[in-house]
Amino acid sequence: MEQMMINEKLTDTCWSMVCVLIDRSQFDSDDEVRDRATFYLNVLNEQQKALNLTYIINGTSLSLF
């Protein structure tokens, strides 16, 4: 039980750090970087496992333009 709580805390910490990094990418000078950052941040904020698997973990190739 304690290990599960530690893993959950690490996951929450990693989640927060990843979201901060992606959020900061929205201020990049490159349009494509900003577009992709916005897309991935919106996908992550939905917190739907199926969406995350489809668009992030499995790396579905998509064109934002």
Side-chain angles (χ1 to χ4, degrees), residues 4-65:
M4 186 186 315
M5 290 174 63
I6 291 171
N7 286 341
E8 187 174 318
K9 190 175 252 188
L10 284 173
T11 301
D12 290 343
T13 301
C14 290
W15 178 270
S16 297
M17 291 168 48
V18 166
C19 286
V20 166
L21 289 172
I22 294 174
D23 189 47
R24 290 180 182 174
S25 296
Q26 291 180 310
F27 300 103
D28 195 273
S29 60
D30 187 336
D31 289 343
E32 186 174 354
V33 171
R34 288 193 311 267
D35 291 345
R36 289 180 184 273
T38 300
F39 172 79
Y40 286 116
L41 193 58
N42 286 328
V43 170
L44 288 172
N45 284 333
E46 289 293 321
Q47 296 184 0
Q48 293 183 15
K49 190 173 184 175
L51 264 168
N52 293 347
L53 284 171
T54 302
Y55 292 111
I56 297 173
I57 295 174
N58 292 336
T60 299
S61 180
L62 59 107
S63 175
L64 298 175
F65 302 101

